[in-house]
Structures are given as structure tokens and as C-alpha cells.
Amino acid sequence: MRRVGLILLALVISLSIFLAFDVDSAKAGTVKLTYANFPPAPTFPCVQMERWKKEVEKRTNGKVQVQTFPGGTLLGAKNMMDGVIAGQADIGCLCMAYQPGRFVITNATSLPLGIPNSLVGSLVLWDLYKKYQPKAFAKVKVLTMFTTSPSSIMSKIPIKTLEDIKGVDLRASGGAAQILKAWGANPVGMPMPATPEALQKGVVKGLFSSLDVMKDFKFAELCKYVTLTETVVYPFAVVMNMDKWNSLPKDVQRVFEELGAQQAAWTGQYLDNHVKESIEWSVKNQGVKVIKLSAKEKAKWDKRLEPITNKWIKSAEKKGLAGKAIVEDIKAFAAMYSGK
Ligand code: DTR
């Protein structure tokens, strides 16, 4: 009886070793990655994150599994880059405008150079990054980049003229803040996730951004006016921890590389469509009024922006960067992708 018991025990032990080994060997080929993002899940940076995750999992036949963290649950807007460098997240999505001094070359896409939409902006930014390989990204692997659609003013008060905007506190970051300043507003800098509270508390009377946020952050409930300026985009980057990147199998690296430009284009197209939906929703469901500047007024607004690019070129050249060439490239890439 005792012998039978011992045999049974040995069988159970070897079966469980076998099963454990089998599960482990199935897992052995799997790469698990964390991906941090700063705004809430329904906003476009997170929508593109979920699309990238799905695409990667599909293209690697499940060999890569990505765990996403929207809403600043792993890293926030301002510590995204350093958090990824330190390995707190494997991948992170950041808005470069929140650290304008750090990402000088790529933030040049926030100059008033007439980028017409998010698709063109995203392709231009990706090409610019590839061509100049800015030092700011030397410690990470850049997986993709994209921009917003051109920015407009959302406000609690109607803004139709330069007199109306004078001294008004409006939220913007980076290059976009320079634009507001030139128009005479008082730009208040903060990342997007801090904006709902600032609007609610009356710290700002509005903001300057692409119009997706009217719907996704429900700003249409507070800002009943949109002044369609459609000026300057905000650039974003998706970066990966360098050691993690180097540890990836070659075939996985190939999938990520392949997705760089494709993801930029996908996000651009998604956002351009989504901005249209957001405006329609704001007008229909929230009674938002869309103000178009008259041609005469628009010419005055544009004139105020003329010195900005030359000033940027000078300051970039002082830092040893090819300021003029960068601006010329952005214009040329934008013309090419716009079919001009
Ligand atoms: N316009 C930039 C970036 C931006 C536009 N839409 C969203 C949504 C979620 C986060 C950031 C953004 C800005 O004003 O911050």
C-alpha cells in the first residue's frame, strides 16, 4: 500500500514539473512591455497607443504583449522622457511642447509655417526627426512621432478681433504660447491634463489647442466659443528605454521599425477626422459658436506672427543648430505632403 502511495506521489510530482515546464516554455518567447501615457484613455494620444499595441500584438503573433497605462498612472506629462530613460516604463508617449528647451529641433514644427493638418504634420515631423537625429533622443529609441491638427482658440468669451484677445488668460504650451503672446493674450503654460481644473476655477478663460479636446475633455461644456485660427501644431514622440530596445529579438525590432512611419500616418488621419467630429458635436450638442476671422482681421493676426520664425532661427543658430535649414526643410516637407 505504502509503495503504491509513493509511486502515486512521484507521478504527481513529475506531472506537475512537466506542466510547470511546459507553461514556462510557452512563456519563454513572450516579451512583455509597459507603455505609459499622460492624458485620459479616450483622448487621441491614448487611442493611438491602443492601436499600436493591437498592431504590434498582431504582427508579432502574440510574441509581444503590451500593457498600457493611460491617465498618468505610470508616468506623467513632464517626467515621461526621464521615466522612460530610467526604465520606470518601457515605452512612453510625450508632448514635446511641454519641454520646449529640451526638444528644440522637433519643436520647430510648432512655428507658424502653415502645416495644414495632423497627417501632414505627423509625416513632416517624422522626416525631420529622421534627417536631423536630434541629440535630445540619444538615450532612447524613438518608435514614432506625430503632431496634433492646427490649434484654435476655445474660450468662455467671444474673440473676434485682436482687441478682444488682448490680455486674456489662455492656456498653451511651448511654441503655441509664443503665438498667443504675439496676438496679445496672456499665455498660461500647463500640460493638458491640468487644464480642466484651471478652466473650472477660472485661472484661465480658455485654451489654444487642436479641437479634439472640445469633445474628449468636454471643454465644450465650459468654452462656448471657438475662434478658428488653425495655427501651429503640437508635436509628440513615443520613446522606448534603450536597454529594453536592445534586448528585443531582431524580428520584433523589425516590426517596431516598420510601424514608425505607418503609426505617424495612422494617428494623423485619425486625429484629422476626430477633430471634425468634435467640432460637429460641440456645435450640435453644446451650442458652441464657431467664429471665423474676416479676411481683413486674419491678415492682421498673421502679420503679428511674422517675426517669430526669424527669431527662432537666430536663437537656434546661437545654439549651434542649422536653424535656417530646419525651417526650410519643414516648409519643403509640408509642401510635398500637401501635394503642392
Ligand atoms: N494641443 C496640445 C496637445 C494635445 C492636443 N490634444 C490633446 C489631448 C490630450 C493630451 C494632449 C493633447 C496641448 O494643448 O497640450
Side-chain angles (χ1 to χ4, degrees), residues 38 43-45 95 97-98 110 115-119 122 146-155 171-173 176 192 195 206-220 223 226-236 267-268 270-276 278-279 282:
F38 65 94
T43 63
F44 94 92
C95 179
Y98 302 159
S110 284
I115 289 176
N117 54 48
S118 173
L119 176 58
S122 301
F146 47 83
T147 74
T148 64
S149 307
S151 304
S152 288
I153 300 167
M154 294 152 254
S155 52
R171 176 263 161 206
S173 289
M192 187 56 88
T195 310
L207 70 150
F208 185 51
S209 165
S210 50
L211 295 172
D212 46 297
V213 294
M214 283 293 270
K215 187 170 186 210
D216 297 343
F217 278 92
K218 304 271 182 296
F219 289 149
C223 298
V226 165
T227 306
L228 271 188
T229 55
E230 296 181 297
T231 324
V232 303
V233 297
Y234 282 73
F236 281 70
T267 307
Y270 166 79
L271 190 58
D272 286 330
N273 287 330
H274 190 58
V275 162
K276 282 185 202 135
S278 172
I279 300 173
S282 305

Side-chain angles (χ1 to χ4, degrees), residues 21-261:
F21 178 77
D22 204 33
V23 170
D24 266 0
S25 67
K27 269 192 200 157
T30 321
V31 178
K32 289 198 168 168
L33 298 173
T34 56
Y35 187 153
N37 217 328
F38 65 94
T43 63
F44 94 92
C46 293
V47 172
Q48 75 75 36
M49 168 171 76
E50 294 303 329
R51 187 268 173 178
W52 188 86
K53 166 190 157 86
K54 216 170 96 195
E55 211 54 36
V56 160
E57 291 177 351
K58 191 171 82 192
R59 293 188 193 191
T60 61
N61 293 320
K63 187 166 165 180
V64 174
Q65 280 167 23
V66 185
Q67 194 183 359
T68 56
F69 295 84
T73 44
L74 188 55
L75 289 169
K78 288 204 177 177
N79 64 349
M80 193 59 76
M81 185 72 171
D82 290 327
V84 169
I85 291 172
Q88 286 166 271
D90 298 324
I91 302 171
C93 171
L94 61 123
C95 179
M96 294 181 254
Y98 302 159
Q99 290 171 294
R102 185 167 188 173
F103 305 105
V104 180
I105 296 176
T106 42
N107 269 323
T109 50
S110 284
L111 290 166
L113 300 173
I115 289 176
N117 54 48
S118 173
L119 176 58
V120 171
S122 301
L123 297 174
V124 168
L125 174 62
W126 186 241
D127 281 1
L128 191 75
Y129 164 71
K130 287 280 189 189
K131 177 162 180 179
Y132 289 91
Q133 303 277 324
K135 275 205 198 89
F137 297 99
K139 289 187 182 157
V140 291
K141 171 69 187 174
V142 179
L143 296 179
T144 191
M145 287 194 181
F146 47 83
T147 74
T148 64
S149 307
S151 304
S152 288
I153 300 167
M154 294 152 254
S155 52
K156 296 180 180 179
I157 52 165
I159 296 175
K160 293 182 181 153
T161 63
L162 286 174
E163 284 71 46
D164 294 337
I165 197 175
K166 206 168 169 197
V168 178
D169 295 324
L170 295 174
R171 176 263 161 206
S173 289
Q178 297 303 309
I179 305 284
L180 283 184
K181 210 162 147 198
W183 288 334
N186 179 31
V188 184
M190 69 187 81
M192 187 56 88
T195 310
E197 196 181 319
L199 270 173
Q200 247 144 25
K201 288 195 173 154
V203 175
V204 291
K205 283 218 170 66
L207 70 150
F208 185 51
S209 165
S210 50
L211 295 172
D212 46 297
V213 294
M214 283 293 270
K215 187 170 186 210
D216 297 343
F217 278 92
K218 304 271 182 296
F219 289 149
E221 289 174 359
L222 294 166
C223 298
K224 293 300 178 190
Y225 300 93
V226 165
T227 306
L228 271 188
T229 55
E230 296 181 297
T231 324
V232 303
V233 297
Y234 282 73
F236 281 70
V238 177
V239 297
M240 182 168 190
N241 177 275
M242 195 59 107
D243 290 338
K244 200 72 186 191
W245 166 258
N246 287 329
S247 76
L248 292 177
K250 284 278 167 291
D251 57 333
V252 170
Q253 286 188 342
R254 221 170 298 127
V255 169
F256 286 18
E257 295 270 19
E258 215 173 70
L259 259 170

